[in-house]
C-alpha cells in the first residue's frame, strides 16, 4: 500500500476526516520509522468544501486522485443520504480494480447505495444501524461492532471507531509493531476490547402496559429475588399459562427475557455509579453470581462488566490507607 486517497464532500464531518488523516497522512517520524503514503484529499468539485463545524475546507484535487490509489477512503458528511453520482461511480470503479475501500461512519450508506455492500458484512454508527439495514436489506449490518472487513471493503462505526478501523488495516498490512507505534503516537490503545454495544445508552425499559404495569413496577423493585413465572403470575393474580400469554401480548417478550434486560440495566447503573464488587452487583440485580452476570453482560454489551466499569465508571475506588 503506497497511495491513499480520501474523498470529502460538502457537509464534511471534521473528526471523521481527521481520524483518517491521523493514521494515513502523517509525515515520517524517525523515532517510529513509520510508513509514509502518497496521501491525497480530493473532492468531486475542487475548491471550497463546506464543513459542518463552523469552518470550510479548500481542496485542490478532484476525483481523478483516486484512480491509482491503493486505499480509497470515504469520509462522512452531514447529509449522508444525499449521494453524489460521481462519488458512487468512483466507489464502484475502485472496487472493480481491486483497491481497498474504507467507509467511515455514515459513509457506509454511500457504499450501500453503490451496491457494494450487497451480501457483505458491514457496520455504521450505532444510531444508524437499523436504518441501514432497512434501506439496504441485502447488506449484512452488524451494528454492535467497531469495524468490519469483508473482502476488500472495510466499514467503521462512528467517530473514534474510525481510528480503530484504520489501525486494524494498518496492523493487517504492516504488522502489529507498526500499528502499535501508530496508536502510541495518536495516544490511543492499539486495539479496543468490545464493540459499539457498550457505548449505547440503554435506559430502563418502559413498564406502561394495559394490565401488567403495576406488576412490572413491582418486579423492578424485587430484581434481587427469585422471580419465577409462577411467582409473577401469583403476584398478578393469574394462572401461569394466562400470565405468560398476557405478558407476551403486552410486552412483546417473555418474562425471562424481560427480567434479564431489566437486570442488565440495573447492573449498568451500579457498575457506573458504585464501587460494589461485581459479585455483589450480580447478587443485588438477581443474577446470583458473577459468572452469570458476565455471561449475560458480555452477550448483550460486547464487553465484560469489569471493562464496562473501567470505561464508564464515575466513582474511583478509595484505596485503604491511601
Amino acid at each position: 500500500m503506497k497511495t491513499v486517497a480520501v474523498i470529502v464532500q460538502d457537509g464534511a464531518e471534521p473528526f471523521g476526516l481527521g481520524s483518517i488523516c491521523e493514521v494515513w497522512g502523517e509525515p515520517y517520524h524517525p523515532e517510529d520509522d513509520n510508513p509514509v503514503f502518497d496521501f491525497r484529499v480530493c473532492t468531486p468539485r475542487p475548491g471550497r468544501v463546506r464543513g459542518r463545524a463552523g469552518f470550510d475546507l479548500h481542496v485542490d484535487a478532484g476525483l481523478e486522485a483516486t484512480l491509482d490509489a491503493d486505499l480509497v477512503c470515504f469520509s462522512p458528511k452531514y447529509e449522508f443520504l444525499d449521494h453524489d453520482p460521481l462519488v458512487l461511480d468512483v466507489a464502484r470503479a475502485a472496487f472493480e480494480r481491486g483497491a481497498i475501500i474504507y467507509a467511515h461512519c455514515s459513509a457506509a450508506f454511500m457504499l450501500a447505495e453503490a451496491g457494494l455492500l450487497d451480501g457483505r458484512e458491514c457496520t455504521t454508527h450505532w444510531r444508524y444501524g437499523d436504518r441501514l439495514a432497512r434501506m439496504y436489506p441485502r447488506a449484512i449490518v452488524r451494528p454492535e461492532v467497531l469495524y468490519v472487513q469483508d473482502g476488500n471493503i472495510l466499514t467503521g462505526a462512528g467517530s473514534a471507531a474510525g481510528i480503530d478501523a484504520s489501525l486494524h488495516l494498518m496492523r493487517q498490512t504492516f504488522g502489529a509493531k507498526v500499528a502499535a507505534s501508530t496508536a502510541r503516537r495518536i495516544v490511543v490503545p492499539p486495539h479496543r476490547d468490545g464493540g459499539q454495544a457498550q457505548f449505547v445508552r440503554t435506559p430502563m425499559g418502559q413498564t406502561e402496559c394495559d394490565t401488567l404495569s403495576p406488576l412490572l413496577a413491582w418486579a423492578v423493585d424485587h430484581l434481587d429475588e427469585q422471580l419465577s413465572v409462577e411467582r409473577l403470575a401469583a403476584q398478578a393474580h393469574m394462572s401461569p399459562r394466562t400470565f405468560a400469554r398476557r405478558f407476551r401480548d403486552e410486552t412483546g417478550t417473555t418474562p425471562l427475557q424481560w427480567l434479564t434486560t431489566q437486570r442488565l440495566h440495573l447492573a449498568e447503573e451500579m457498575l457506573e455509579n458504585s464501587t460494589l464488587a461485581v459479585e455483589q452487583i450480580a447478587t443485588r440485580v438477581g443474577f446470583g453470581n458473577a459468572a452469570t452476570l458476565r455471561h449475560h453482560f458480555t452477550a448483550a454489551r460486547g464487553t465484560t462488566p469489569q471493562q464496562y466499569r473501567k470505561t464508564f465508571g464515575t466513582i474511583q475506588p478509595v484505596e485503604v490507607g491511601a
Side-chain angles (χ1 to χ4, degrees):
M1 187 185 300
K2 297 181 179 179
T3 303
V4 178
V6 184
I7 299 175
V8 295
Q9 302 175 70
D10 282 344
E13 299 278 2
F15 193 93
L17 175 60
S19 69
I20 297 171
C21 295
E22 278 290 329
V23 176
W24 305 104
E26 277 293 301
Y28 182 67
H29 299 283
E31 64 274 23
D32 296 332
D33 192 26
N34 58 296
V36 177
F37 307 94
D38 178 359
F39 184 76
R40 309 162 180 174
V41 178
C42 60
T43 190
R45 297 160 191 84
R48 183 178 182 179
V49 177
R50 291 186 295 106
R52 192 192 65 83
F55 61 90
D56 296 339
L57 307 171
H58 183 89
V59 179
D60 290 324
L63 295 179
E64 66 278 359
T66 67
L67 295 178
D68 62 344
D70 304 303
L71 170 63
V72 180
C73 304
F74 296 84
S75 186
K77 63 175 185 172
Y78 184 66
E79 298 290 347
F80 61 89
L81 298 181
D82 181 14
H83 304 294
D84 189 322
L86 296 176
V87 177
L88 297 179
D89 288 344
V90 164
R92 298 185 187 106
F95 174 78
E96 289 298 325
R97 64 179 176 80
I100 299 173
I101 297 173
Y102 167 45
H104 173 44
C105 193
S106 59
F109 283 80
M110 189 277 306
L111 294 189
E113 182 68 19
L116 301 185
L117 298 185
D118 291 354
R120 292 182 179 274
E121 291 191 347
C122 60
T123 193
T124 187
H125 192 287
W126 59 266
R127 291 187 187 276
Y128 308 135
D130 289 344
R131 183 185 298 186
L132 183 64
R134 288 196 306 270
M135 292 181 64
Y136 303 98
R138 297 183 64 184
I140 305 170
V141 182
R142 296 184 58 195
E144 76 278 10
V145 299
L146 296 175
Y147 55 83
V148 177
Q149 184 173 8
D150 191 329
N152 63 325
I153 294 182
L154 175 67
T155 49
S159 298
I163 295 177
D164 294 295
S166 286
L167 288 175
H168 160 76
L169 188 55
M170 181 73 77
R171 185 183 309 112
Q172 182 183 77
T173 307
F174 296 98
K177 182 178 180 180
V178 172
S181 177
T182 302
R184 187 166 53 249
R185 177 180 53 78
I186 303 173
V187 199
V188 297
H191 177 76
R192 279 197 292 170
D193 294 328
Q196 291 197 75
Q198 61 185 300
F199 300 104
V200 180
R201 167 49 61 195
T202 50
M204 294 293 284
Q206 295 295 318
T207 58
E208 294 299 325
C209 298
D210 291 339
T211 59
L212 293 180
S213 189
L215 171 72
L216 300 185
W218 175 88
V220 167
D221 290 334
H222 294 79
L223 291 175
D224 59 328
E225 302 176 14
Q226 292 292 326
L227 298 178
S228 64
V229 170
E230 289 74 17
R231 184 180 179 189
L232 292 171
Q235 184 71 25
H237 306 292
M238 300 179 188
S239 70
R241 177 176 295 182
T242 299
F243 171 76
R245 182 175 63 252
R246 181 71 59 81
F247 196 96
R248 180 174 284 279
D249 289 343
E250 294 195 17
T251 68
T253 187
T254 67
L256 178 59
Q257 291 170 330
W258 184 87
L259 284 170
T260 298
T261 299
Q262 301 307 311
R263 285 169 169 154
L264 286 172
H265 291 328
L266 183 56
E268 280 184 339
E269 291 188 3
M270 298 180 77
L271 288 166
E272 293 175 14
N273 302 314
S274 81
T275 59
L276 291 174
V278 172
E279 187 74 39
Q280 292 175 294
I281 292 176
T283 300
R284 293 198 181 191
V285 304
F287 280 125
N289 57 70
T292 303
L293 171 58
R294 279 194 296 270
H295 169 77
H296 288 291
F297 201 94
T298 302
R301 302 292 182 260
T303 190
T304 65
Q306 293 91 336
Q307 188 62 41
Y308 183 90
R309 167 173 275 169
K310 183 178 179 181
T311 303
F312 296 105
T314 60
I315 300 176
Q316 295 298 321
V318 178
E319 296 184 8
V320 176

